[in-house]
Amino acid sequence: CHGAHEPKAELDLTRRESLIDAGVIEPGQSTVGSLMARVTATDHTVRMPPDGPPLSPEQIQQLQRWLAAGAGWPDHWAY
């Protein structure tokens, strides 16, 4: 839904720079940015992902560790 071609809410999640520029993440900060606000929201109209169950506590902790470690983003072979 947030790919490079016609991303929902005009949010392209395929490039690290897009996430930073849009305020979705702030590398080095595990609680700053809309990513963590959305995946931890209790309001189902705001929470991501919108369909299906919320992320597990373990998945949220993994995201927090990734963000705290600088949100590393390796090059992808197809991009």
Side-chain angles (χ1 to χ4, degrees), residues 19 24 60 64 75:
L19 278 79
V24 174
I60 291 170
Q64 289 174 320
D75 292 332

Side-chain angles (χ1 to χ4, degrees), residues 2 8 15-16 20 22 27-28 31 34 37 40 42-43 56 58 60-61 64-65 69 75:
H2 295 289
K8 287 195 176 192
R15 296 181 318 110
R16 184 176 190 260
I20 295 169
T31 59
S34 62
T40 59
T42 55
D43 181 345
S56 70
E58 293 80 17
I60 291 170
Q61 288 172 353
Q64 289 174 320
R65 286 191 300 272
D75 292 332

Side-chain angles (χ1 to χ4, degrees), residues 11-35:
L11 180 58
D12 174 6
L13 299 183
T14 63
R15 296 181 318 110
R16 184 176 190 260
E17 295 78 22
S18 296
L19 278 79
I20 295 169
D21 292 346
V24 174
I25 65 169
E26 186 172 327
Q29 301 294 319
S30 64
T31 59
V32 177
S34 62
L35 174 65

